[in-house]
Each structure stands twice: as C-alpha cells, then as structure tokens.
Amino acid sequence: MNNLTAAVIAGIILCFSAIPVASETAEEKGRWIAEQTDRRDLGWGDSEAHLTMTLRNREGQSSVRRLSLASLEVDDPMLGDRSLTLFAEPRDIEGTAFLSHTRIHDPDDQWLYLPALKRVKRISSQNKSGPFVGSEFAYEDLVSQEVERYTYKYLRDEPCGERTCYVTERFPVYEHSGYTRQVVWIDHTDFQPRKIEFYDRKGDLLKTLDLLEYRQYLGKYWRAHRLEMQNRQTGKSTTLSFSDYAFGLGLGEGDFQKSRLERLR
C-alpha cells in the first residue's frame, strides 16, 4: 500500500470515528460530545494570559480587578491540569494568589495565598461551591473540565445565535459539588462550549455562563476571550476578559507548587 492510499484510508477512518452511531443512547451521545471537546484541546502544553475581572452588583455598580493566569497541561489521564492565578490590582488584593491542581476522582487541591495575613489557606474539599474572591465564579468553576468529572446526557440540537449547538446535561461525579447538574450548549462545528446553565443543590437555576469572542491559537486551540457569569438568584454578575495569550513558555511542575505562593509578586 503506497503512502497516498494509506493516508486516504486513515482519513476515512478518522472521519467515520467522529460520527455518532444512530442507535447510541442519550448518555452515550452526551459523553461522545464531551470527548470531542476534550480531544480538540490536547497538546497545548502551557500558557499564560492577562485578565480583567469586572464585578457588578444588582444595581449595576462595578469594581475592576486585574490578574494573570498561568496554566500547565498534565498528561496523566487520572489528573487534571494546573493553574496559577495572581492578582495585580487593586492594591487591597495585590499579591493574592490562587493555585489549583485538578483531580479526576479525588477532591481538587486548591490553595489561596492572602498577603495581608501572610499565609496560605487550603480550600476545603467541601467548600468548592464558595465564591472565588467575591466573584460569581465558584472555586469548582476554575478547574479544568476533564471528561471523567461528569456523567452526561444528550438532550437536543438547537440554534445558538448564528450557530447550531448540541444541548447536553452533565452531572458532577464529585459528591460535594455545589451543582446538581449543568446544561451545556456545544457548537456543532468546533465543539466549543457557548453557554452553561448551573443548577444548585435544590435543582433551581443558579447561574448562567456565556463564553464569547473565541479565537484560535497555534492553528488548533480555541480560547474564549470573554466569560459572562450571571447569578440568576442575586442579580450579580462577573465578567472575565482575557488578553495577551502566550503558549510554549517552558512552564513546568515546579512553577505550580504550593511553596511558590508566598514568593510570588
């Protein structure tokens, strides 16, 4: 078999492997969609970005924080990615740092460094639903969304703006999650999430997250540059705006250790 023939056959196999089987269950299709999203975000290595966090209360009054985010991809299938968030402004929160190690089946490891107290606080495994530094994002919203963290169910297809989306439910496996379920809209074309609804422990709608302004990096990896989290019960909201994404910086495990938190500036 010549190289051209082999390439054509491989392409056909890959094409058919990405088409869901008609007889599959709603649970199987829901998981297949999640796997497609995950597959398209493998191999990016490490990255950094600058963020602006805008917090708004029910009356529309706002405050702004500036921070940076470093991330490290972890190849171990039983572990998730690492992230390190460092606040630069305003002065009263400057130097605050948040380190997160995603786990698949075990509670995530998360630490918060508070410069005013000069100590590192471990985030309790039962407190992941608490607000992250006063925002509408919870600590559990800030970990990498590994496939095995949820079970899934496909609901329907429907328009989402000018696009068409799969609509799926996912149910957290983590017993202390603040959510009973999440409803996710996934783009048919690029398999990126466009919207997520979060339902609280009573089963009521708590928050909605819109993921906007996607851009592609390295010819493959999509990143949303604006996240809009709306609390449907309190009327508060938080916007995260991303800029200056950079990849391949040579970051390693040593850059994401608890011992580094007190030395960051």
Side-chain angles (χ1 to χ4, degrees), residues 122-157:
R122 186 182 182 91
I123 306 302
S124 167
S125 62
Q126 299 186 26
N127 193 36
K128 305 300 184 184
S129 60
F132 174 62
V133 292
S135 75
E136 298 312 305
F137 287 85
Y139 285 97
E140 68 176 297
D141 300 335
L142 302 175
V143 298
S144 57
Q145 300 301 300
E146 312 295 335
V147 173
E148 299 297 335
R149 293 177 65 88
Y150 303 93
T151 58
Y152 301 87
K153 183 178 181 180
Y154 166 77
L155 298 178
R156 61 188 180 275
D157 286 7

PDB file of all heavy atoms in Angstrom, residues 122-157:
ATOM      1  N   ARG A 122      -5.690  26.559  52.578  1.00  0.00           N
ATOM      2  CA  ARG A 122      -6.161  25.456  51.731  1.00  0.00           C
ATOM      3  C   ARG A 122      -7.682  25.536  51.620  1.00  0.00           C
ATOM      4  O   ARG A 122      -8.375  25.713  52.627  1.00  0.00           O
ATOM      5  CB  ARG A 122      -5.745  24.107  52.313  1.00  0.00           C
ATOM      6  CG  ARG A 122      -6.092  22.933  51.406  1.00  0.00           C
ATOM      7  CD  ARG A 122      -5.701  21.605  52.028  1.00  0.00           C
ATOM      8  NE  ARG A 122      -5.995  20.501  51.138  1.00  0.00           N
ATOM      9  CZ  ARG A 122      -5.168  19.991  50.252  1.00  0.00           C
ATOM     10  NH1 ARG A 122      -3.938  20.495  50.144  1.00  0.00           N
ATOM     11  NH2 ARG A 122      -5.516  19.000  49.455  1.00  0.00           N
ATOM     12  N   ILE A 123      -8.187  25.402  50.392  1.00  0.00           N
ATOM     13  CA  ILE A 123      -9.627  25.428  50.185  1.00  0.00           C
ATOM     14  C   ILE A 123     -10.185  24.050  50.511  1.00  0.00           C
ATOM     15  O   ILE A 123      -9.773  23.052  49.939  1.00  0.00           O
ATOM     16  CB  ILE A 123      -9.978  25.807  48.732  1.00  0.00           C
ATOM     17  CG1 ILE A 123      -9.300  27.125  48.344  1.00  0.00           C
ATOM     18  CG2 ILE A 123     -11.488  25.915  48.558  1.00  0.00           C
ATOM     19  CD1 ILE A 123      -9.657  28.293  49.234  1.00  0.00           C
ATOM     20  N   SER A 124     -11.110  24.002  51.452  1.00  0.00           N
ATOM     21  CA  SER A 124     -11.679  22.734  51.901  1.00  0.00           C
ATOM     22  C   SER A 124     -12.359  22.002  50.754  1.00  0.00           C
ATOM     23  O   SER A 124     -12.968  22.618  49.873  1.00  0.00           O
ATOM     24  CB  SER A 124     -12.703  22.992  53.018  1.00  0.00           C
ATOM     25  OG  SER A 124     -13.488  21.845  53.265  1.00  0.00           O
ATOM     26  N   SER A 125     -12.261  20.678  50.782  1.00  0.00           N
ATOM     27  CA  SER A 125     -12.888  19.866  49.741  1.00  0.00           C
ATOM     28  C   SER A 125     -14.401  20.011  49.752  1.00  0.00           C
ATOM     29  O   SER A 125     -15.068  19.711  48.765  1.00  0.00           O
ATOM     30  CB  SER A 125     -12.512  18.383  49.934  1.00  0.00           C
ATOM     31  OG  SER A 125     -12.998  17.907  51.170  1.00  0.00           O
ATOM     32  N   GLN A 126     -14.978  20.491  50.867  1.00  0.00           N
ATOM     33  CA  GLN A 126     -16.416  20.669  50.965  1.00  0.00           C
ATOM     34  C   GLN A 126     -16.834  22.126  50.757  1.00  0.00           C
ATOM     35  O   GLN A 126     -17.993  22.472  50.958  1.00  0.00           O
ATOM     36  CB  GLN A 126     -16.911  20.163  52.321  1.00  0.00           C
ATOM     37  CG  GLN A 126     -16.653  18.683  52.541  1.00  0.00           C
ATOM     38  CD  GLN A 126     -17.272  18.160  53.825  1.00  0.00           C
ATOM     39  OE1 GLN A 126     -18.248  18.691  54.311  1.00  0.00           O
ATOM     40  NE2 GLN A 126     -16.696  17.109  54.378  1.00  0.00           N
ATOM     41  N   ASN A 127     -15.898  22.971  50.352  1.00  0.00           N
ATOM     42  CA  ASN A 127     -16.198  24.390  50.178  1.00  0.00           C
ATOM     43  C   ASN A 127     -15.930  24.868  48.758  1.00  0.00           C
ATOM     44  O   ASN A 127     -15.706  26.053  48.520  1.00  0.00           O
ATOM     45  CB  ASN A 127     -15.375  25.235  51.166  1.00  0.00           C
ATOM     46  CG  ASN A 127     -15.868  26.663  51.251  1.00  0.00           C
ATOM     47  OD1 ASN A 127     -17.064  26.920  51.179  1.00  0.00           O
ATOM     48  ND2 ASN A 127     -14.947  27.592  51.399  1.00  0.00           N
ATOM     49  N   LYS A 128     -15.963  23.937  47.797  1.00  0.00           N
ATOM     50  CA  LYS A 128     -15.650  24.302  46.414  1.00  0.00           C
ATOM     51  C   LYS A 128     -16.737  25.162  45.784  1.00  0.00           C
ATOM     52  O   LYS A 128     -16.505  25.822  44.770  1.00  0.00           O
ATOM     53  CB  LYS A 128     -15.449  23.048  45.565  1.00  0.00           C
ATOM     54  CG  LYS A 128     -14.405  22.079  46.094  1.00  0.00           C
ATOM     55  CD  LYS A 128     -13.028  22.697  46.186  1.00  0.00           C
ATOM     56  CE  LYS A 128     -12.001  21.672  46.614  1.00  0.00           C
ATOM     57  NZ  LYS A 128     -10.671  22.238  46.803  1.00  0.00           N
ATOM     58  N   SER A 129     -17.935  25.162  46.370  1.00  0.00           N
ATOM     59  CA  SER A 129     -19.023  25.943  45.803  1.00  0.00           C
ATOM     60  C   SER A 129     -18.996  27.391  46.275  1.00  0.00           C
ATOM     61  O   SER A 129     -19.799  28.208  45.828  1.00  0.00           O
ATOM     62  CB  SER A 129     -20.379  25.314  46.160  1.00  0.00           C
ATOM     63  OG  SER A 129     -20.555  25.272  47.574  1.00  0.00           O
ATOM     64  N   GLY A 130     -18.074  27.730  47.173  1.00  0.00           N
ATOM     65  CA  GLY A 130     -17.971  29.090  47.672  1.00  0.00           C
ATOM     66  C   GLY A 130     -17.486  30.048  46.597  1.00  0.00           C
ATOM     67  O   GLY A 130     -16.817  29.648  45.647  1.00  0.00           O
ATOM     68  N   PRO A 131     -17.787  31.356  46.723  1.00  0.00           N
ATOM     69  CA  PRO A 131     -17.382  32.334  45.705  1.00  0.00           C
ATOM     70  C   PRO A 131     -15.885  32.580  45.712  1.00  0.00           C
ATOM     71  O   PRO A 131     -15.265  32.694  46.774  1.00  0.00           O
ATOM     72  CB  PRO A 131     -18.156  33.598  46.101  1.00  0.00           C
ATOM     73  CG  PRO A 131     -18.387  33.438  47.584  1.00  0.00           C
ATOM     74  CD  PRO A 131     -18.565  31.968  47.815  1.00  0.00           C
ATOM     75  N   PHE A 132     -15.306  32.673  44.522  1.00  0.00           N
ATOM     76  CA  PHE A 132     -13.879  32.946  44.373  1.00  0.00           C
ATOM     77  C   PHE A 132     -13.647  34.445  44.495  1.00  0.00           C
ATOM     78  O   PHE A 132     -14.093  35.223  43.643  1.00  0.00           O
ATOM     79  CB  PHE A 132     -13.398  32.420  43.020  1.00  0.00           C
ATOM     80  CG  PHE A 132     -11.982  32.775  42.691  1.00  0.00           C
ATOM     81  CD1 PHE A 132     -10.935  32.336  43.488  1.00  0.00           C
ATOM     82  CD2 PHE A 132     -11.689  33.549  41.581  1.00  0.00           C
ATOM     83  CE1 PHE A 132      -9.622  32.669  43.191  1.00  0.00           C
ATOM     84  CE2 PHE A 132     -10.382  33.876  41.260  1.00  0.00           C
ATOM     85  CZ  PHE A 132      -9.350  33.436  42.075  1.00  0.00           C
ATOM     86  N   VAL A 133     -12.969  34.857  45.561  1.00  0.00           N
ATOM     87  CA  VAL A 133     -12.655  36.249  45.888  1.00  0.00           C
ATOM     88  C   VAL A 133     -13.809  37.199  45.571  1.00  0.00           C
ATOM     89  O   VAL A 133     -13.631  38.247  44.942  1.00  0.00           O
ATOM     90  CB  VAL A 133     -11.346  36.715  45.191  1.00  0.00           C
ATOM     91  CG1 VAL A 133     -10.147  36.002  45.766  1.00  0.00           C
ATOM     92  CG2 VAL A 133     -11.390  36.516  43.682  1.00  0.00           C
ATOM     93  N   GLY A 134     -14.993  36.832  46.024  1.00  0.00           N
ATOM     94  CA  GLY A 134     -16.155  37.702  45.908  1.00  0.00           C
ATOM     95  C   GLY A 134     -16.824  37.744  44.552  1.00  0.00           C
ATOM     96  O   GLY A 134     -17.776  38.506  44.353  1.00  0.00           O
ATOM     97  N   SER A 135     -16.370  36.928  43.614  1.00  0.00           N
ATOM     98  CA  SER A 135     -16.950  36.930  42.268  1.00  0.00           C
ATOM     99  C   SER A 135     -18.108  35.933  42.187  1.00  0.00           C
ATOM    100  O   SER A 135     -18.419  35.234  43.156  1.00  0.00           O
ATOM    101  CB  SER A 135     -15.883  36.566  41.236  1.00  0.00           C
ATOM    102  OG  SER A 135     -15.596  35.176  41.283  1.00  0.00           O
ATOM    103  N   GLU A 136     -18.752  35.884  41.030  1.00  0.00           N
ATOM    104  CA  GLU A 136     -19.821  34.909  40.811  1.00  0.00           C
ATOM    105  C   GLU A 136     -19.282  33.574  40.318  1.00  0.00           C
ATOM    106  O   GLU A 136     -20.056  32.644  40.072  1.00  0.00           O
ATOM    107  CB  GLU A 136     -20.852  35.469  39.822  1.00  0.00           C
ATOM    108  CG  GLU A 136     -21.552  36.720  40.311  1.00  0.00           C
ATOM    109  CD  GLU A 136     -22.064  36.578  41.738  1.00  0.00           C
ATOM    110  OE1 GLU A 136     -22.820  35.623  42.001  1.00  0.00           O
ATOM    111  OE2 GLU A 136     -21.708  37.420  42.590  1.00  0.00           O
ATOM    112  N   PHE A 137     -17.968  33.451  40.177  1.00  0.00           N
ATOM    113  CA  PHE A 137     -17.334  32.169  39.870  1.00  0.00           C
ATOM    114  C   PHE A 137     -17.048  31.442  41.170  1.00  0.00           C
ATOM    115  O   PHE A 137     -16.523  32.029  42.129  1.00  0.00           O
ATOM    116  CB  PHE A 137     -16.035  32.374  39.097  1.00  0.00           C
ATOM    117  CG  PHE A 137     -16.243  32.801  37.678  1.00  0.00           C
ATOM    118  CD1 PHE A 137     -16.421  34.147  37.363  1.00  0.00           C
ATOM    119  CD2 PHE A 137     -16.278  31.871  36.649  1.00  0.00           C
ATOM    120  CE1 PHE A 137     -16.621  34.556  36.058  1.00  0.00           C
ATOM    121  CE2 PHE A 137     -16.477  32.271  35.332  1.00  0.00           C
ATOM    122  CZ  PHE A 137     -16.650  33.621  35.029  1.00  0.00           C
ATOM    123  N   ALA A 138     -17.390  30.167  41.234  1.00  0.00           N
ATOM    124  CA  ALA A 138     -17.071  29.340  42.391  1.00  0.00           C
ATOM    125  C   ALA A 138     -15.698  28.702  42.186  1.00  0.00           C
ATOM    126  O   ALA A 138     -15.185  28.634  41.071  1.00  0.00           O
ATOM    127  CB  ALA A 138     -18.131  28.255  42.574  1.00  0.00           C
ATOM    128  N   TYR A 139     -15.109  28.234  43.279  1.00  0.00           N
ATOM    129  CA  TYR A 139     -13.808  27.579  43.169  1.00  0.00           C
ATOM    130  C   TYR A 139     -13.872  26.388  42.217  1.00  0.00           C
ATOM    131  O   TYR A 139     -12.924  26.142  41.465  1.00  0.00           O
ATOM    132  CB  TYR A 139     -13.337  27.120  44.549  1.00  0.00           C
ATOM    133  CG  TYR A 139     -12.856  28.252  45.420  1.00  0.00           C
ATOM    134  CD1 TYR A 139     -13.696  28.845  46.366  1.00  0.00           C
ATOM    135  CD2 TYR A 139     -11.570  28.756  45.301  1.00  0.00           C
ATOM    136  CE1 TYR A 139     -13.260  29.899  47.162  1.00  0.00           C
ATOM    137  CE2 TYR A 139     -11.116  29.806  46.086  1.00  0.00           C
ATOM    138  CZ  TYR A 139     -11.970  30.380  47.016  1.00  0.00           C
ATOM    139  OH  TYR A 139     -11.537  31.426  47.789  1.00  0.00           O
ATOM    140  N   GLU A 140     -14.976  25.664  42.216  1.00  0.00           N
ATOM    141  CA  GLU A 140     -15.044  24.492  41.344  1.00  0.00           C
ATOM    142  C   GLU A 140     -15.231  24.866  39.879  1.00  0.00           C
ATOM    143  O   GLU A 140     -15.053  24.031  38.999  1.00  0.00           O
ATOM    144  CB  GLU A 140     -16.139  23.536  41.791  1.00  0.00           C
ATOM    145  CG  GLU A 140     -17.565  24.026  41.643  1.00  0.00           C
ATOM    146  CD  GLU A 140     -18.575  22.946  42.042  1.00  0.00           C
ATOM    147  OE1 GLU A 140     -18.611  21.895  41.374  1.00  0.00           O
ATOM    148  OE2 GLU A 140     -19.293  23.163  43.026  1.00  0.00           O
ATOM    149  N   ASP A 141     -15.573  26.126  39.589  1.00  0.00           N
ATOM    150  CA  ASP A 141     -15.663  26.572  38.201  1.00  0.00           C
ATOM    151  C   ASP A 141     -14.285  26.794  37.590  1.00  0.00           C
ATOM    152  O   ASP A 141     -14.161  26.928  36.366  1.00  0.00           O
ATOM    153  CB  ASP A 141     -16.439  27.888  38.102  1.00  0.00           C
ATOM    154  CG  ASP A 141     -17.860  27.786  38.623  1.00  0.00           C
ATOM    155  OD1 ASP A 141     -18.416  26.677  38.616  1.00  0.00           O
ATOM    156  OD2 ASP A 141     -18.410  28.830  39.043  1.00  0.00           O
ATOM    157  N   LEU A 142     -13.256  26.871  38.422  1.00  0.00           N
ATOM    158  CA  LEU A 142     -11.936  27.300  37.976  1.00  0.00           C
ATOM    159  C   LEU A 142     -10.965  26.148  37.742  1.00  0.00           C
ATOM    160  O   LEU A 142      -9.773  26.371  37.565  1.00  0.00           O
ATOM    161  CB  LEU A 142     -11.345  28.276  38.994  1.00  0.00           C
ATOM    162  CG  LEU A 142     -12.206  29.519  39.251  1.00  0.00           C
ATOM    163  CD1 LEU A 142     -11.603  30.369  40.354  1.00  0.00           C
ATOM    164  CD2 LEU A 142     -12.389  30.338  37.978  1.00  0.00           C
ATOM    165  N   VAL A 143     -11.457  24.919  37.751  1.00  0.00           N
ATOM    166  CA  VAL A 143     -10.611  23.766  37.454  1.00  0.00           C
ATOM    167  C   VAL A 143     -10.828  23.352  36.009  1.00  0.00           C
ATOM    168  O   VAL A 143     -11.825  23.704  35.381  1.00  0.00           O
ATOM    169  CB  VAL A 143     -10.920  22.579  38.399  1.00  0.00           C
ATOM    170  CG1 VAL A 143     -10.626  22.960  39.846  1.00  0.00           C
ATOM    171  CG2 VAL A 143     -12.368  22.134  38.258  1.00  0.00           C
ATOM    172  N   SER A 144      -9.885  22.606  35.453  1.00  0.00           N
ATOM    173  CA  SER A 144     -10.046  22.124  34.080  1.00  0.00           C
ATOM    174  C   SER A 144     -11.203  21.125  34.019  1.00  0.00           C
ATOM    175  O   SER A 144     -11.407  20.327  34.939  1.00  0.00           O
ATOM    176  CB  SER A 144      -8.747  21.487  33.581  1.00  0.00           C
ATOM    177  OG  SER A 144      -8.349  20.427  34.430  1.00  0.00           O
ATOM    178  N   GLN A 145     -11.955  21.197  32.943  1.00  0.00           N
ATOM    179  CA  GLN A 145     -13.182  20.398  32.833  1.00  0.00           C
ATOM    180  C   GLN A 145     -12.897  19.053  32.178  1.00  0.00           C
ATOM    181  O   GLN A 145     -13.207  18.830  31.001  1.00  0.00           O
ATOM    182  CB  GLN A 145     -14.237  21.191  32.068  1.00  0.00           C
ATOM    183  CG  GLN A 145     -14.609  22.506  32.726  1.00  0.00           C
ATOM    184  CD  GLN A 145     -15.160  22.319  34.132  1.00  0.00           C
ATOM    185  OE1 GLN A 145     -16.178  21.658  34.336  1.00  0.00           O
ATOM    186  NE2 GLN A 145     -14.488  22.881  35.131  1.00  0.00           N
ATOM    187  N   GLU A 146     -12.303  18.159  32.948  1.00  0.00           N
ATOM    188  CA  GLU A 146     -11.957  16.833  32.428  1.00  0.00           C
ATOM    189  C   GLU A 146     -13.222  15.996  32.217  1.00  0.00           C
ATOM    190  O   GLU A 146     -14.195  16.102  32.980  1.00  0.00           O
ATOM    191  CB  GLU A 146     -11.013  16.128  33.397  1.00  0.00           C
ATOM    192  CG  GLU A 146      -9.840  16.968  33.869  1.00  0.00           C
ATOM    193  CD  GLU A 146      -8.880  17.342  32.751  1.00  0.00           C
ATOM    194  OE1 GLU A 146      -8.837  16.610  31.747  1.00  0.00           O
ATOM    195  OE2 GLU A 146      -8.179  18.357  32.887  1.00  0.00           O
ATOM    196  N   VAL A 147     -13.201  15.137  31.203  1.00  0.00           N
ATOM    197  CA  VAL A 147     -14.379  14.347  30.840  1.00  0.00           C
ATOM    198  C   VAL A 147     -14.878  13.513  32.009  1.00  0.00           C
ATOM    199  O   VAL A 147     -16.088  13.424  32.278  1.00  0.00           O
ATOM    200  CB  VAL A 147     -14.064  13.442  29.625  1.00  0.00           C
ATOM    201  CG1 VAL A 147     -15.237  12.493  29.348  1.00  0.00           C
ATOM    202  CG2 VAL A 147     -13.770  14.286  28.401  1.00  0.00           C
ATOM    203  N   GLU A 148     -13.963  12.884  32.748  1.00  0.00           N
ATOM    204  CA  GLU A 148     -14.356  11.956  33.796  1.00  0.00           C
ATOM    205  C   GLU A 148     -14.944  12.630  35.037  1.00  0.00           C
ATOM    206  O   GLU A 148     -15.398  11.949  35.959  1.00  0.00           O
ATOM    207  CB  GLU A 148     -13.155  11.104  34.219  1.00  0.00           C
ATOM    208  CG  GLU A 148     -12.567  10.246  33.106  1.00  0.00           C
ATOM    209  CD  GLU A 148     -13.547   9.207  32.579  1.00  0.00           C
ATOM    210  OE1 GLU A 148     -14.474   8.820  33.329  1.00  0.00           O
ATOM    211  OE2 GLU A 148     -13.392   8.790  31.414  1.00  0.00           O
ATOM    212  N   ARG A 149     -14.978  13.951  35.064  1.00  0.00           N
ATOM    213  CA  ARG A 149     -15.560  14.648  36.222  1.00  0.00           C
ATOM    214  C   ARG A 149     -17.083  14.611  36.212  1.00  0.00           C
ATOM    215  O   ARG A 149     -17.723  14.992  37.200  1.00  0.00           O
ATOM    216  CB  ARG A 149     -15.091  16.109  36.241  1.00  0.00           C
ATOM    217  CG  ARG A 149     -13.607  16.276  36.513  1.00  0.00           C
ATOM    218  CD  ARG A 149     -13.202  17.727  36.442  1.00  0.00           C
ATOM    219  NE  ARG A 149     -13.833  18.528  37.482  1.00  0.00           N
ATOM    220  CZ  ARG A 149     -13.335  18.699  38.704  1.00  0.00           C
ATOM    221  NH1 ARG A 149     -12.197  18.101  39.046  1.00  0.00           N
ATOM    222  NH2 ARG A 149     -13.955  19.435  39.585  1.00  0.00           N
ATOM    223  N   TYR A 150     -17.678  14.155  35.093  1.00  0.00           N
ATOM    224  CA  TYR A 150     -19.133  14.194  34.950  1.00  0.00           C
ATOM    225  C   TYR A 150     -19.666  12.912  34.311  1.00  0.00           C
ATOM    226  O   TYR A 150     -18.921  12.174  33.665  1.00  0.00           O
ATOM    227  CB  TYR A 150     -19.559  15.369  34.048  1.00  0.00           C
ATOM    228  CG  TYR A 150     -19.092  16.722  34.506  1.00  0.00           C
ATOM    229  CD1 TYR A 150     -17.882  17.265  34.038  1.00  0.00           C
ATOM    230  CD2 TYR A 150     -19.844  17.480  35.396  1.00  0.00           C
ATOM    231  CE1 TYR A 150     -17.450  18.522  34.446  1.00  0.00           C
ATOM    232  CE2 TYR A 150     -19.418  18.739  35.807  1.00  0.00           C
ATOM    233  CZ  TYR A 150     -18.223  19.252  35.332  1.00  0.00           C
ATOM    234  OH  TYR A 150     -17.795  20.486  35.744  1.00  0.00           O
ATOM    235  N   THR A 151     -20.968  12.697  34.476  1.00  0.00           N
ATOM    236  CA  THR A 151     -21.705  11.802  33.593  1.00  0.00           C
ATOM    237  C   THR A 151     -22.558  12.700  32.698  1.00  0.00           C
ATOM    238  O   THR A 151     -22.806  13.862  33.033  1.00  0.00           O
ATOM    239  CB  THR A 151     -22.587  10.814  34.367  1.00  0.00           C
ATOM    240  OG1 THR A 151     -23.520  11.549  35.192  1.00  0.00           O
ATOM    241  CG2 THR A 151     -21.729   9.924  35.268  1.00  0.00           C
ATOM    242  N   TYR A 152     -23.036  12.161  31.571  1.00  0.00           N
ATOM    243  CA  TYR A 152     -23.602  13.020  30.537  1.00  0.00           C
ATOM    244  C   TYR A 152     -24.919  12.482  29.987  1.00  0.00           C
ATOM    245  O   TYR A 152     -25.224  11.291  30.077  1.00  0.00           O
ATOM    246  CB  TYR A 152     -22.611  13.149  29.367  1.00  0.00           C
ATOM    247  CG  TYR A 152     -21.282  13.725  29.765  1.00  0.00           C
ATOM    248  CD1 TYR A 152     -20.252  12.900  30.231  1.00  0.00           C
ATOM    249  CD2 TYR A 152     -21.044  15.091  29.708  1.00  0.00           C
ATOM    250  CE1 TYR A 152     -19.034  13.422  30.609  1.00  0.00           C
ATOM    251  CE2 TYR A 152     -19.820  15.634  30.086  1.00  0.00           C
ATOM    252  CZ  TYR A 152     -18.820  14.788  30.533  1.00  0.00           C
ATOM    253  OH  TYR A 152     -17.609  15.314  30.918  1.00  0.00           O
ATOM    254  N   LYS A 153     -25.669  13.414  29.375  1.00  0.00           N
ATOM    255  CA  LYS A 153     -26.898  13.034  28.680  1.00  0.00           C
ATOM    256  C   LYS A 153     -27.161  14.052  27.570  1.00  0.00           C
ATOM    257  O   LYS A 153     -27.194  15.262  27.818  1.00  0.00           O
ATOM    258  CB  LYS A 153     -28.081  12.998  29.641  1.00  0.00           C
ATOM    259  CG  LYS A 153     -29.384  12.535  29.000  1.00  0.00           C
ATOM    260  CD  LYS A 153     -30.506  12.472  30.025  1.00  0.00           C
ATOM    261  CE  LYS A 153     -31.807  11.983  29.382  1.00  0.00           C
ATOM    262  NZ  LYS A 153     -32.909  11.931  30.390  1.00  0.00           N
ATOM    263  N   TYR A 154     -27.326  13.575  26.352  1.00  0.00           N
ATOM    264  CA  TYR A 154     -27.685  14.442  25.223  1.00  0.00           C
ATOM    265  C   TYR A 154     -29.167  14.770  25.318  1.00  0.00           C
ATOM    266  O   TYR A 154     -30.004  13.900  25.570  1.00  0.00           O
ATOM    267  CB  TYR A 154     -27.378  13.729  23.906  1.00  0.00           C
ATOM    268  CG  TYR A 154     -28.004  14.382  22.701  1.00  0.00           C
ATOM    269  CD1 TYR A 154     -27.466  15.546  22.150  1.00  0.00           C
ATOM    270  CD2 TYR A 154     -29.150  13.843  22.116  1.00  0.00           C
ATOM    271  CE1 TYR A 154     -28.047  16.156  21.048  1.00  0.00           C
ATOM    272  CE2 TYR A 154     -29.734  14.435  21.001  1.00  0.00           C
ATOM    273  CZ  TYR A 154     -29.185  15.600  20.480  1.00  0.00           C
ATOM    274  OH  TYR A 154     -29.758  16.195  19.393  1.00  0.00           O
ATOM    275  N   LEU A 155     -29.509  16.046  25.100  1.00  0.00           N
ATOM    276  CA  LEU A 155     -30.906  16.481  25.164  1.00  0.00           C
ATOM    277  C   LEU A 155     -31.493  16.752  23.784  1.00  0.00           C
ATOM    278  O   LEU A 155     -32.537  16.229  23.428  1.00  0.00           O
ATOM    279  CB  LEU A 155     -31.028  17.736  26.035  1.00  0.00           C
ATOM    280  CG  LEU A 155     -30.614  17.595  27.498  1.00  0.00           C
ATOM    281  CD1 LEU A 155     -30.747  18.936  28.223  1.00  0.00           C
ATOM    282  CD2 LEU A 155     -31.435  16.524  28.202  1.00  0.00           C
ATOM    283  N   ARG A 156     -30.809  17.597  22.990  1.00  0.00           N
ATOM    284  CA  ARG A 156     -31.382  18.021  21.705  1.00  0.00           C
ATOM    285  C   ARG A 156     -30.351  18.844  20.932  1.00  0.00           C
ATOM    286  O   ARG A 156     -29.306  19.193  21.474  1.00  0.00           O
ATOM    287  CB  ARG A 156     -32.629  18.886  21.943  1.00  0.00           C
ATOM    288  CG  ARG A 156     -32.329  20.162  22.727  1.00  0.00           C
ATOM    289  CD  ARG A 156     -33.578  20.923  23.123  1.00  0.00           C
ATOM    290  NE  ARG A 156     -33.252  22.151  23.880  1.00  0.00           N
ATOM    291  CZ  ARG A 156     -33.052  22.174  25.201  1.00  0.00           C
ATOM    292  NH1 ARG A 156     -33.140  21.056  25.899  1.00  0.00           N
ATOM    293  NH2 ARG A 156     -32.751  23.314  25.801  1.00  0.00           N
ATOM    294  N   ASP A 157     -30.677  19.171  19.698  1.00  0.00           N
ATOM    295  CA  ASP A 157     -29.954  20.174  18.917  1.00  0.00           C
ATOM    296  C   ASP A 157     -30.836  21.417  18.833  1.00  0.00           C
ATOM    297  O   ASP A 157     -32.066  21.298  18.736  1.00  0.00           O
ATOM    298  CB  ASP A 157     -29.679  19.682  17.498  1.00  0.00           C
ATOM    299  CG  ASP A 157     -28.584  18.637  17.436  1.00  0.00           C
ATOM    300  OD1 ASP A 157     -28.127  18.189  18.511  1.00  0.00           O
ATOM    301  OD2 ASP A 157     -28.205  18.253  16.319  1.00  0.00           O
TER     302      ASP A 157
END
